[in-house]
Amino acid sequence: SVLDLGTGSGILSIAAKKLGAGNVDSVEHDSECEANFYENLELNEIKEEIQFHNGDVLNWHQLNYDLIIANLNQTVFQELIPNFKGIKAIIIMSGILASDYNEISEICSTNGLTISKQVLRSEWICIIINPQ
């Protein structure tokens, strides 16, 4: 099962589904993304297999998934990371500037989350957290 926080156009949700995920839930605050999300599902021949939820990722507290993917900014991650404390999912966070890595790393550590891998591409970094 996969949770895509800040799904936008749905590309990460679509990739998860195409790679074999069963249940995929996608959460996006910007309601203007919804039409593009469903258009991309149709273009990828995925119909009604991914659930779109219009809402604030900071208010999404159901985190019982195998994998959580989130492409958000540093400010949102600062508030979101404490919600991940004690969950059993693998977490992949992207959309983080490399210059913000130390701050995000400290917040993870404070909340008992250990970063298992970082992938740097240009000025962007992707962080992977394995469950405790």
Side-chain angles (χ1 to χ4, degrees):
S1 60
V2 176
L3 174 62
D4 181 2
L5 296 173
T7 195
S9 66
I11 191 70
L12 295 177
S13 293
I14 291 166
K17 193 65 177 175
K18 292 223 173 230
L19 289 169
N23 177 51
V24 178
D25 286 311
S26 306
V27 181
E28 176 58 53
H29 183 67
D30 184 353
S31 60
E32 293 182 18
C33 292
E34 190 170 0
N36 183 241
F37 176 89
Y38 283 113
E39 179 182 346
N40 287 332
L41 290 186
E42 189 172 319
L43 289 170
N44 283 277
E45 300 176 357
I46 298 174
K47 296 181 181 175
E48 299 179 21
E49 296 180 33
I50 299 174
Q51 301 302 311
F52 182 90
H53 305 274
N54 184 248
D56 187 339
V57 299
L58 297 173
N59 294 326
W60 186 270
H61 298 292
Q62 166 53 356
L63 301 171
N64 187 24
Y65 293 83
D66 298 310
L67 175 67
I68 297 174
I69 48 180
N71 185 33
L72 302 164
N73 66 47
Q74 179 236 10
T75 305
V76 176
F77 276 127
Q78 286 177 320
E79 294 184 51
L80 184 62
I81 289 170
N83 294 346
F84 295 152
K85 187 175 186 173
I87 67 170
K88 304 283 188 224
I90 294 171
I91 304 164
I92 302 175
M93 301 188 302
S94 61
I96 302 166
L97 289 169
S99 59
D100 295 327
Y101 174 77
N102 289 339
E103 186 172 354
I104 295 296
S105 176
E106 180 63 32
I107 295 168
C108 287
S109 180
T110 299
N111 287 281
L113 303 171
T114 303
I115 296 171
S116 61
K117 186 173 183 178
Q118 316 105 65
V119 179
L120 179 66
R121 180 151 308 167
S122 187
E123 71 270 7
W124 298 100
I125 195 160
C126 174
I127 296 171
I128 300 172
I129 299 169
N130 288 323
Q132 301 294 317

